[in-house]
């Protein structure tokens, strides 16, 4: 007997020594296998990704769990938590008595600390496991504070299904953070602690209500609730789970691969993200299933990404829409042309008023054509870029040099432009290369910020890189052109009303990609539509699909306000001849004010006019020169209308136009009026202020649509 007593005493002494002096690694209690949680710039949760253990877990500090939840958890699970040292010997003694009387286990004596030990080191349930947990709990409380233990427990407690921790459960059941929970909501969450699967409100509403109301009654008796508050809370219905928010999934996936943190407050802005996702989702609803869309909104001042939609079909069919299209290389179509024009302006080769030929041009055995399959003869650079004409763009790229164009694109950050100029040839400026939508949006910040590109960022703490690509003057010229100022031909550029935005569309070869990038001083909005498999679709035309989405998004961002660029100091305004596009001579009768880059732009004076030519122009008879009388024009689907320029020579003052007897608008003798004409035979009448008039007849017929023709280079 004495030997037995000594043995027991020795074991007890060894246990005390073990508790007091054995080393203990507390790191496992302070580390979590957490989900990746993405928040917007104001702390609103956007989405939660599953953890490596296929759970939803969002560990947060104890201070971020609100005033109610920790207090109620202690009241429910371990009332003497802040008074014992890991093991509640009073509760243990009571449990032993109750179990012996009942001759079965009817009561436990687990503390929050012992439950935490069990969660971190799960073992088969047995008496020895229980004793081991008690000893470990005593050791743990010597290493960690009560607050650290409570925080770790509340972040690990299972709460039904694959939901772990109070923060994840709070978002799942109530759509808010744990720190924002009301007392009733906190009680509802803690009610799940004893049996999270059995008491889930969506599966067992009666069992949940019984347990929740019992906890409410205990709180009332403790004085934590008034009688009225208790009665009101007891009658509250079962909470309906809201599920986790599902915004910016692809942004979360992208960031989770580039950062080690599990909780990220991003640059995204919840209402902007929600708006862009909704607008894009609505746009793809009526399109073939193979077509999806992506979009990006950028704050030009900071480079912060305010909205990131990698695949517009993710909400409806997530299993088929995991591909992040914003990071996938695609053909940009005509979306690269503004960069080439800006470089040409900076090189002093052209100005917006410079004339360039829109006439057939050999292109490696092929002839590039415009989207409407026609040519317009000599046009200004302004018209060429505004109408996205192919041949003038190729001529300008040749003037710059294809190698210079390649270096420009690489300097803009197009990482997939890796071949030399002989591989791409003249098609480079027409979209014969690949860029990702994310890269293209960043490149457009060089236009939106008047020449200075800024790196895009999804994390607010990052310092963006800035580099000057173009001059302020060249990008100001491009912006005024892309703002479609040709609609206001009667006003000088300096007097134009501020537009909502400048924008450029793009449609890749074979109708595989439809783009629009819109920008103003504040924002850049990129929209892409296409088939991730690279298949062609008749619907994929930039001006038809992407422009409406970009404009709706920009209108939302601007909230009815209009801002525009202040004319930069390196721009000077000169009078140019409307015929030659060069600086007007004393003999040029018709002039307009046009922008030039000071000390850079060519200053050639018009030599197309002289006293003799001026006299000759005065005798030119009034006649319609476009459309050509009796000409048959072909209409190519999918457009139901043919857009034609109406122009005269020999007119004086304003020219008034009538189509089939109906007034359609006015123009000047130098600048045509563009009208859309349907299929059929039509009569066009023009008259000027002096009463001169002319009439022509034309026919518009349907033409065959060669979908695979290489002439269909990207444009609108």
């Amino acid at each position: 007997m004495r030997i037995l007593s000594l043995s027991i005493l020795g074991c007890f002494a060894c246990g005390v020594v073990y508790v007091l002096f054995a080393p203990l690694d507390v790191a496992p209690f302070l580390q979590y296998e957490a989900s990746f949680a993405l928040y917007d710039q104001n702390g609103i949760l956007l989405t939660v990704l599953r953890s490596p253990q296929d759970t939803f877990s969002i560990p947060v500090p104890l201070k971020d769990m609100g005033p109610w939840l920790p207090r109620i958890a202690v009241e429910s699970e371990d009332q003497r938590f802040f008074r014992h040292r890991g093991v509640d010997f009073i509760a243990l003694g009571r449990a032993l008595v109750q179990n012996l009387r009942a001759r079965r286990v009817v009561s436990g004596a687990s503390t929050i600390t012992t439950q935490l030990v069990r969660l971190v080191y799960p073992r088969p349930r047995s008496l020895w496991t229980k004793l081991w947990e008690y000893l470990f709990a005593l050791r743990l409380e010597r290493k960690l504070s009560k607050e650290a233990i409570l925080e770790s427990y509340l972040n690990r407690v299972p709460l039904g299904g694959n939901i772990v921790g109070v923060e994840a459960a709070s978002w799942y059941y109530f759509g808010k953070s744990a720190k924002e929970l009301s007392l009733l909501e906190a009680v509802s969450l803690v009610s799940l602690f004893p049996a999270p699967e059995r008491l889930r409100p969506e599966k067992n509403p009666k069992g949940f209500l019984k347990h929740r109301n019992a906890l409410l009654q205990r709180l009332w008796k403790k004085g934590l609730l008034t009688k009225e508050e208790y009665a009101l809370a007891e009658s509250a219905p079962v909470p309906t789970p809201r599920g986790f928010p599902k915004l910016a999934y692809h942004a979360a996936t992208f960031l989770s691969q580039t950062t080690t943190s599990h909780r990220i407050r991003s640059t995204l802005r919840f209402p902007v993200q929600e708006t862009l996702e909704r607008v894009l989702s609505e746009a793809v609803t009526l399109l073939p299933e193979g077509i999806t869309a992506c979009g990006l909104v950028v704050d030009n001042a900071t480079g912060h990404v305010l909205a990131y939609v990698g695949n517009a079909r993710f909400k409806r069919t997530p299993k088929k829409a995991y591909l992040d299209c914003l990071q996938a290389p695609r053909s940009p179509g005509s979306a690269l042309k503004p960069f080439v024009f800006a470089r040409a302006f900076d090189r002093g080769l052209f100005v917006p008023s410079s004339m360039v030929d829109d006439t057939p041009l050999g292109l490696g055995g092929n002839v590039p054509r415009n989207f409407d399959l026609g040519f317009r003869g000599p046009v200004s650079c302004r018209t060429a870029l505004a109408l996205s004409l192919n041949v003038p763009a190729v001529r300008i790229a040749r003037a710059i040099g294809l190698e210079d164009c390649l270096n420009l694109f690489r300097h803009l950050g197009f990482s997939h432009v890796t071949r030399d100029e002989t591989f791409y040839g003249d098609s480079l400026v027409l979209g014969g290369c690949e860029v990702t939508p994310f890269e293209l949006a960043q490149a457009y910040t060089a236009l939106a910020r008047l020449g200075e590109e800024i790196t895009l960022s999804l994390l607010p703490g990052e310092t963006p890189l800035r580099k000057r690509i173009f001059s302020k003057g060249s990008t100001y010229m491009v912006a005024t052109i892309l703002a479609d100022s040709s609609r206001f031909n009667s006003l000088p550029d300096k007097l134009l009303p501020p537009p909502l935005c400048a924008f450029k569309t793009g449609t890749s070869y074979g109708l595989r990609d439809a783009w629009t990038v819109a920008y103003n001083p504040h924002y850049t909005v990129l929209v892409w539509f296409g088939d991730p498999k690279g298949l062609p679709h008749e619907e994929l035309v930039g001006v038809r699909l992407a422009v409406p989405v970009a404009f709706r998004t920009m209108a939302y961002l601007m909230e009815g306000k209009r801002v525009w660029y202040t004319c930069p100091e390196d721009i000077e305004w000169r009078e140019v001849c409307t015929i030659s596009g060069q600086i007007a001579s004393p003999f040029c009768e018709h002039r307009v004010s046009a922008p030039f880059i000071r000390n850079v732009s060519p200053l050639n004076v018009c030599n197309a006019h002289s006293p003799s030519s001026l006299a000759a122009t005065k005798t030119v008879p009034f006649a319609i020169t476009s459309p050509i009388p009796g000409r048959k024009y072909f209409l190519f689907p999918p457009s139901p209308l043919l857009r034609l320029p109406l122009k005269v020579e020999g007119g004086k003052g304003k020219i008034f136009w009538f189509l089939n007897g109906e007034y359609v608008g006015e123009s000047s003798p130098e600048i045509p009026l563009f009208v859309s004409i349907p299929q059929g035979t039509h009569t066009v009448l023009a008259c000027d202020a002096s009463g001169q008039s002319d009439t022509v007849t034309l026919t518009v017929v349907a033409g065959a649509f060669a979908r695979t023709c290489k002439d269909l280079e990207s444009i609108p």
Side-chain angles (χ1 to χ4, degrees), residues 43-116:
I44 301 175
L45 184 66
L46 297 173
T47 195
V48 185
L49 305 181
R50 295 174 186 265
S51 73
Q53 286 70 38
D54 199 32
T55 62
F56 290 103
S57 174
I58 312 176
V60 295
L62 188 67
K63 64 182 178 60
D64 290 342
M65 296 181 187
W68 290 113
L69 203 146
R71 185 175 182 181
I72 295 171
V74 170
E75 181 63 34
S76 171
E77 299 297 297
D78 188 357
Q79 296 179 37
R80 283 182 289 275
F81 172 69
F82 287 101
R83 298 195 296 272
H84 63 65
R85 295 295 182 181
V87 177
D88 188 347
F89 290 103
I90 296 175
L92 182 60
R94 184 189 65 247
L96 286 172
V97 172
Q98 291 176 344
N99 294 337
L100 288 172
R101 287 177 178 175
R103 296 184 179 180
R104 61 186 179 88
V105 178
V106 295
S107 177
S110 295
T111 62
I112 287 178
T113 312
T114 58
Q115 291 184 63
L116 175 60

Side-chain angles (χ1 to χ4, degrees), residues 451-576:
E452 184 187 58
E453 184 184 59
I454 189 170
T455 55
L456 304 189
S457 175
L458 285 157
L459 301 176
E462 294 182 343
T463 302
L465 299 177
R466 296 175 173 87
K467 57 183 177 181
R468 181 151 295 279
I469 309 290
F470 308 105
S471 70
K472 292 183 178 180
S474 67
T475 47
Y476 178 77
M477 291 172 171
V478 169
T480 58
I481 295 171
L482 296 182
D484 203 15
S485 57
S486 61
R487 301 173 191 171
F488 309 100
N489 286 323
S490 60
L491 297 175
D493 288 347
K494 289 182 289 187
L495 301 179
L496 291 177
L500 179 67
C501 60
F503 70 98
K504 183 69 187 77
T505 62
T507 303
S508 66
Y509 165 71
L511 303 182
R512 288 172 167 81
D513 305 89
W515 303 77
T516 291
V517 187
Y519 66 90
N520 62 22
H522 288 177
Y523 303 104
T524 295
V525 177
L526 176 140
V527 175
W528 171 88
F529 284 80
D531 189 325
K533 296 180 180 179
L535 299 177
H537 295 269
E538 291 183 358
E539 295 86 352
L540 291 174
V541 178
V543 73
R544 182 186 308 155
L545 282 184
V547 165
V549 173
F551 277 19
R552 284 182 63 186
T553 305
M554 187 65 81
Y556 167 79
L557 292 167
M558 297 308 297
E559 298 178 334
K561 295 176 289 188
R562 288 176 180 263
V563 296
W564 197 239
Y565 299 97
T566 301
C567 184
E569 294 179 355
D570 60 343
I571 286 287
E572 58 183 9
W573 296 84
R574 294 177 177 268
E575 295 291 314
V576 300

Side-chain angles (χ1 to χ4, degrees), residues 311-326:
N311 198 313
R313 292 196 179 270
F314 182 77
K315 270 192 174 180
R316 298 177 183 271
T317 55
K319 292 183 178 180
K320 298 180 180 180
Y322 282 109
L323 177 67
D324 184 353
C325 298
L326 281 172

